[in-house]
Amino acid sequence: GAVVSQHPSWVICKSGTSVKIECRSLDFQATTMFWYRQFPKQSLMLMATSNEGSKATYEQGVEKDKFLINHASLTLSTLTVTSAHPEDSSFYICSARDLAGRYEQYFGPGTRLTVT
Amino acid sequence: AQSVTQPDIHITVSEGASLELRCNYSYGATPYLFWYVQSPGQGLQLLLKYFSGDTLVQGIKGFEAEFKRSQSSFNLRKPSVHWSDAAEYFCAVAAGGSNYQLIWGAGTKLIIKP
């Protein structure tokens, strides 16, 4: 159990376009979802935390107008990178915490975004 | 402020040898501690976690970790590594608050020598 999927697994887009990444909890309801960014050979950087039905809370330095997060249901959160630029190229990972209130997060496989 | 330190950026171990990956944390209250593994190009998989109780916790793939409050440590061990254990290992602590965000260490890359 506790499976989180992400789609797409990789995407290439042109500079100036927007791209949407989906994160789904497949077999549990996620009260909270987290979005991370991971640069090569580095640790995870938390971008934002979203609770179903609420606005996301962004970490300091993360542009909320650039990285739009929607958590419309207990099983789906989306991250939209708007007007993407090459510096937005990265590995984006989502995770989810379930309704049972346990503290561990279940991670999606990640999305590799390349902006050309 | 809460923090997690993994002092070793990378470690090289011969296949069949024992392994210990170090993790130190700074957290005021009782910590909830985790070890995750990330294989190349893959997402993170939970190896084990400590919430309370027995300070020696067993995880998947033959890993174990010991919580030592006096040393603020949560080191990961495996008695005999396999080539498939080559990966990046991350230690994390749950920061508390309503969302229990994770505070991450920088990671340790494990390299296995044949």
Side-chain angles (χ1 to χ4, degrees):
Chain A
V3 178
V4 176
S5 70
Q6 269 184 255
H7 179 80
S9 55
W10 58 271
V11 57
I12 301 173
C13 70
K14 292 189 175 181
S15 188
T17 63
S18 296
V19 61
K20 180 185 286 187
I21 302 169
E22 291 187 351
C23 176
R24 293 181 185 273
S25 55
L26 298 185
D27 51 3
F28 67 99
Q29 292 184 315
T31 48
T32 307
M33 287 186 168
F34 303 87
W35 286 96
Y36 294 89
R37 184 172 179 177
Q38 186 178 31
F39 294 98
K41 302 183 189 295
Q42 293 191 26
S43 188
L44 284 75
M45 181 192 79
L46 179 65
M47 298 175 67
T49 303
S50 72
N51 291 294
E52 184 263 339
S54 304
K55 287 185 179 180
T57 301
Y58 291 81
E59 295 300 301
Q60 192 171 10
V62 178
E63 299 175 61
K64 62 181 181 181
D65 294 330
K66 180 165 192 62
F67 299 100
L68 300 179
I69 292 171
N70 183 279
H71 191 163
S73 77
L74 283 171
T75 60
L76 173 64
S77 176
T78 60
L79 167 68
T80 301
V81 183
T82 62
S83 186
H85 291 283
E87 57 265 30
D88 299 323
S89 299
S90 193
F91 193 53
Y92 293 89
I93 304 172
C94 75
S95 70
R97 192 165 69 84
D98 69 16
L99 271 173
R102 291 171 293 189
Y103 308 129
E104 64 258 45
Q105 297 177 20
Y106 304 100
F107 286 82
T111 297
R112 174 74 59 193
L113 169 64
T114 301
V115 184
T116 61
Chain B
Q2 303 100 337
S3 65
V4 176
T5 302
Q6 292 179 250
D8 304 304
I9 297 172
H10 53 80
I11 280 185
T12 302
V13 177
S14 297
E15 191 171 14
S18 63
L19 168 72
E20 182 170 35
L21 301 182
R22 295 182 291 164
C23 173
N24 292 95
Y25 67 90
S26 172
Y27 188 66
T30 300
Y32 300 110
L33 296 157
F34 306 85
W35 274 100
Y36 286 89
V37 60
Q38 185 179 34
S39 297
Q42 309 237 341
L44 288 102
Q45 182 180 24
L46 178 67
L47 285 175
L48 46 78
K49 60 185 182 283
Y50 171 79
F51 289 170
S52 64
D54 193 344
T55 56
L56 183 63
V57 293
Q58 303 297 321
I60 62 171
K61 304 185 178 188
F63 286 93
E64 66 177 28
E66 186 170 13
F67 169 60
K68 292 186 177 179
R69 185 186 297 276
S70 62
Q71 298 177 21
S72 297
S73 69
F74 188 55
N75 294 347
L76 181 71
R77 301 194 293 247
K78 187 170 184 178
S80 176
V81 298
H82 186 261
W83 65 266
S84 60
D85 293 324
E88 190 87 22
Y89 291 80
F90 294 97
C91 180
V93 62
S98 58
N99 290 318
Y100 289 94
Q101 294 173 354
L102 292 177
I103 306 298
W104 295 87
T108 298
K109 183 175 182 178
L110 176 61
I111 301 164
I112 306 295
K113 285 193 302 185

